Amino acid sequence: MKEREKVVRLAKLAEQAERYDDMVEFMKQLARMDVDMSAEERLLFSVGFKKTIGARRASWRILESLEQKETAGEQAGVTINGYKKKVEDELRAVCNEVLSIIAIHCLPLANSGENVVFFYKMKGDYYRYLAEFSTGTEKKAATDQSLMAYQHAMVVASSELSPAHQFRLGLVLNFSVFFYEIMNSPERASQVAKQALDEATAEINSADVEGYKDSMLMMQLLKENLALWTSELSGGETSKDDDVVMEG
């Protein structure tokens, strides 16, 4: 079995066993082979890191919420803050590693519009994850890098992918979440989401769209977010702290 095929096979076995740290290690090996990833390979690469970072992001949000409920200076608050910083260090390490691999091994080899959009979106996502917990100049740098990556992906998606393409819709979904959560702009988030939905609806009703089910899922998530943001803008009862914002 060729080394590339062997690594992909091992990554799939690790995913089935829910050993995502192992899955990530195998996909890092693949990325360092400097090959333009296939659809299956890029999905494995993305899923492995997303599972790894997802648990840490969820932990950080819980700790952040707990910390806000504690009185400053009390021992419980100090303990929570210390653990939160440990999680932040882990988040930072994972994000920086992903971003380094994408910059060195993935984007330089991406030859198709799909792969370029996929990896620039992923770059935007992981800088967004950094911006979620960072402060000061670190937060601004991560925010600026995330914005630039998403914008570049949007330019390529607009010229290379149809409005109803699952990658373009997934990109818009996460880009709109960036505006809402990082830029604190439900207006801009709503504008981006609504425009994409309008364009995709016209396209998906008039053509045989590849990946139809995935596209419809992305559209549904966009609709759910748009409903939340529209309610907030119109003075509804939802608050940002209670909203469950969907992302791809």
Side-chain angles (χ1 to χ4, degrees), residues 35-227:
V35 295
D36 190 21
M37 291 190 192
S38 67
E40 179 184 45
E41 290 166 348
R42 71 192 176 210
L43 180 61
L44 289 168
F45 180 78
S46 175
V47 167
F49 277 110
K50 189 170 183 179
K51 291 288 187 180
T52 298
I53 199 95
R56 291 172 172 84
R57 289 176 71 208
S59 295
W60 183 87
R61 291 184 177 186
I62 292 170
L63 292 166
E64 173 77 357
S65 177
L66 290 172
E67 186 179 43
Q68 290 175 359
K69 296 174 183 176
E70 294 295 330
T71 303
E74 290 192 356
Q75 184 58 45
V78 173
T79 302
I80 292 169
N81 181 262
Y83 189 47
K84 190 181 77 168
K85 289 186 180 301
K86 179 178 183 296
V87 174
E88 288 175 358
D89 288 342
E90 293 177 0
L91 281 166
R92 189 176 289 107
V94 173
C95 288
N96 287 335
E97 183 173 40
V98 175
L99 290 166
S100 176
I101 291 171
I102 290 172
I104 296 171
H105 301 287
C106 299
L107 280 173
L109 276 297
N111 292 318
S112 68
E114 280 193 0
N115 274 15
V116 172
V117 170
F118 185 90
F119 287 115
Y120 267 106
K121 171 190 170 292
M122 199 169 173
K123 180 178 178 179
D125 289 341
Y126 281 82
Y127 273 116
R128 171 164 59 89
Y129 302 155
L130 282 173
E132 286 177 343
F133 65 86
S134 301
T135 58
T137 56
E138 184 183 2
K139 183 180 183 70
K140 184 181 186 307
T143 299
D144 290 345
Q145 288 291 332
S146 181
L147 177 61
M148 286 190 291
Y150 282 137
Q151 287 177 330
H152 189 98
M154 286 294 295
V155 169
V156 177
S158 296
S159 63
E160 298 286 335
L161 307 179
S162 75
H165 193 289
Q166 57 180 305
F167 282 7
R168 181 165 168 178
L169 287 168
L171 167 62
V172 173
L173 175 66
N174 285 14
F175 196 16
S176 61
V177 169
F178 166 84
F179 281 117
Y180 180 73
E181 293 195 334
I182 306 301
M183 302 297 287
N184 295 311
S185 178
E187 297 90 349
R188 183 66 175 135
S190 298
Q191 180 185 3
V192 169
K194 186 177 185 307
Q195 180 179 343
L197 278 170
D198 290 344
E199 293 174 352
T201 299
E203 172 81 13
I204 211 160
N205 289 336
S206 62
D208 182 17
V209 176
E210 183 179 355
Y212 176 84
K213 289 184 178 179
D214 290 327
S215 294
M216 290 299 293
L217 173 59
M218 293 297 106
M219 291 175 70
Q220 182 58 40
L221 296 178
L222 278 165
K223 288 176 183 176
E224 291 176 15
N225 284 353
L226 185 58

